[in-house]
Amino acid sequence: MVRLEDSHLRERVTEYLQQFVNEERQLRLKEVLKNRTRHVTVVLEDLFQTQNISAVLRTCECYGVQDVHVIKNRNDFEIHKAISMGADKWLSINEYPHKEGNVKACIDRLHEQGYWVAATLPDEQKRTIFDIPVERKTAFLFGTELTGLSDEAIKYADGNVLIPMYGFTESFNISNSAAIILSHFTERMRHSTADWHLSDAEFDELYFEWLQKSVKDPDGLIKWFMQHNS
């Protein structure tokens, strides 16, 4: 994927690439981008079941959540294509390889970006998803299927959040938890006064990226443009 830091150059290349994408497709890309958000994001810590990973990615894409952060420790990050249904193609996935301090590095980065970081925990003494104000940028941390979040993730998070449950079972499947939380949060967010839309710069950058994913041989097309329009 070609990235151009010069916004003027990127605009020119974008106009060029649009020649190879029909108008209906262009409008569809822009319509989806209008509903994309970085006001909320998801962090997956060391998940190992590809079905769950892929289901969470699909949920994020469906609810318009652009960024997913993946912390890798013991388990590799693999996508089950039949379950993700291509959702990962349209997401910005940020990976943190296994090394000392990678959990803190991820949370520090989120703090720098202005996120309030919420650890999802089945603890009845903590706040529920209905108590989380949607006006502030929020990152939801989800832990591995068997043991949940690590002590380090809980330590550096800003607070905890749970999904109210009224049965004997103590927790939801990780993919179900993400779907429930994002459904409630994004719906309230979209009906709030929060400035949840992408900035103009973010919109343009992603549109350029998505155009490349919508044409054959984008690298070759961009290389030709650069050679003939320098």
Side-chain angles (χ1 to χ4, degrees):
M1 191 65 56
V2 176
R3 299 187 182 279
L4 299 175
E5 298 299 328
D6 185 325
S7 60
H8 180 64
L9 176 59
R10 186 174 62 242
E11 181 179 355
R12 292 171 60 209
V13 178
T14 295
E15 291 177 357
Y16 171 69
L17 289 179
Q18 285 182 146
Q19 299 177 56
F20 304 94
V21 180
N22 64 51
E23 185 175 352
E24 182 180 358
R25 182 61 172 176
Q26 293 177 40
L27 291 174
R28 178 59 176 157
L29 294 179
K30 292 176 180 178
E31 188 62 32
V32 172
L33 280 169
K34 288 178 182 177
N35 285 291
R36 269 299 198 263
T37 187
R38 283 186 161 132
H39 190 73
V40 57
T41 189
V42 164
V43 183
L44 305 177
E45 185 191 26
D46 209 30
L47 268 63
F48 66 88
Q49 293 185 347
T50 59
Q51 296 94 328
N52 283 337
I53 293 170
S54 304
V56 172
L57 296 182
R58 187 172 172 179
T59 292
C60 289
E61 206 286 319
C62 286
Y63 284 117
V65 176
Q66 181 60 33
D67 296 324
V68 177
H69 299 263
V70 178
I71 299 171
K72 299 189 293 186
N73 288 325
R74 291 174 299 175
N75 303 306
D76 291 330
F77 177 69
E78 297 180 1
I79 297 173
H80 193 300
K81 296 296 183 180
I83 295 177
S84 72
M85 297 292 287
D88 54 295
K89 177 179 179 179
W90 308 106
L91 298 174
S92 300
I93 300 177
N94 307 275
E95 298 187 27
Y96 302 81
H98 176 42
K99 64 179 181 180
E100 185 176 354
N102 63 342
V103 174
K104 186 177 184 299
C106 174
I107 296 177
D108 283 347
R109 180 181 178 187
L110 292 168
H111 283 152
E112 290 171 0
Q113 295 174 349
Y115 287 99
W116 188 83
V117 180
T120 57
L121 297 171
D123 185 335
E124 65 182 40
Q125 301 303 315
K126 308 302 180 183
R127 61 176 61 84
T128 74
I129 55 174
F130 305 111
D131 300 321
I132 302 297
V134 295
E135 289 74 22
R136 66 186 175 195
K137 293 176 67 175
T138 303
F140 292 101
L141 272 64
F142 297 92
T144 186
E145 295 88 339
L146 295 177
T147 57
L149 288 167
S150 67
D151 291 339
E152 187 178 10
I154 296 170
K155 173 184 176 181
Y156 291 113
D158 299 306
N160 304 337
V161 62
L162 63 81
I163 301 171
M165 290 178 287
Y166 307 99
F168 291 109
T169 309
E170 294 183 353
S171 65
F172 285 101
N173 173 282
I174 182 69
S175 59
N176 289 336
S177 294
I180 292 168
I181 288 176
L182 291 181
S183 174
H184 283 281
F185 188 93
T186 58
E187 187 66 17
R188 289 195 295 132
M189 176 196 75
R190 292 177 189 277
H191 290 86
S192 73
T193 58
D195 183 14
W196 56 268
H197 295 89
L198 297 174
S199 67
D200 290 343
E202 290 172 329
F203 187 103
D204 292 343
E205 288 171 6
L206 282 172
Y207 182 60
F208 176 59
E209 179 182 319
W210 290 6
L211 277 177
Q212 293 180 67
K213 295 178 178 180
S214 301
V215 299
K216 293 182 179 179
D217 190 22
D219 291 353
L221 289 174
I222 294 173
K223 182 178 180 180
W224 185 93
F225 180 87
M226 301 292 279
Q227 289 175 341
H228 293 79
N229 294 272
S230 58

